[in-house]
Amino acid sequence: MENQYGEIVLQKGREQSLHRKHPWIFSGAIHSATKGLADGDLVKVYDKQRNCLGTGIFAPGSIMVRMLSFDDVAIDSLFGSQRSKAPMNTDRTSSNFLLTLPMHFASSMVKVMVCRA
């Protein structure tokens, strides 16, 4: 893809799971997607009103996006190191997800910690 990020627009009402920090977007929740997305492409996720809900990794299939961040942040070489230095929330309401994701811009598999705040 020419642009660094593809775009995913969710169907109306399907953004609620992201507001609860659920890390996956299922295919049935997607209204539209940038044409030509390939497995491992970075995508910005938007609601129907074009509010950015975060950034994730695209994968064709029933789970089409795995969220890396629930904020509009750049996913670059500093992203993982910044996340690993962040304090962990260990109360009973937190959920931590360790995702091993193929990153087409990296030479090997990258482990990224996604923390629910």
Side-chain angles (χ1 to χ4, degrees), residues 75-92:
I75 305 299
D76 55 20
S77 61
L78 297 177
F79 177 76
S81 64
Q82 291 169 346
R83 298 294 291 187
S84 65
K85 291 177 185 172
M88 296 291 287
N89 182 357
T90 56
D91 67 24
R92 299 178 86 192

Side-chain angles (χ1 to χ4, degrees), residues 8-11 14 25-33 58 64-65:
I8 299 285
V9 178
L10 300 181
Q11 293 186 40
R14 296 299 187 108
I25 298 174
F26 295 93
S27 59
I30 295 176
H31 171 72
S32 64
F58 177 80
M64 293 192 80
V65 180

Side-chain angles (χ1 to χ4, degrees), residues 14-27:
R14 296 299 187 108
E15 69 280 356
Q16 295 306 315
S17 63
L18 293 183
H19 292 306
R20 292 187 306 268
K21 308 297 188 218
H22 192 281
W24 299 343
I25 298 174
F26 295 93
S27 59

Side-chain angles (χ1 to χ4, degrees), residues 48-68:
K48 285 285 275 188
Q49 291 75 40
R50 299 291 297 169
N51 298 307
C52 185
L53 302 172
T55 306
I57 297 283
F58 177 80
S62 62
I63 301 173
M64 293 192 80
V65 180
R66 288 163 174 83
M67 297 300 290
L68 294 174

Side-chain angles (χ1 to χ4, degrees), residues 89-100:
N89 182 357
T90 56
D91 67 24
R92 299 178 86 192
T93 62
S94 69
S95 298
N96 298 318
F97 303 93
L98 181 61
L99 306 175
T100 303

Side-chain angles (χ1 to χ4, degrees), residues 94-112:
S94 69
S95 298
N96 298 318
F97 303 93
L98 181 61
L99 306 175
T100 303
L101 302 165
M103 304 290 247
H104 65 281
F105 56 88
S107 60
S108 62
M109 296 298 279
V110 176
K111 289 187 178 182
V112 179

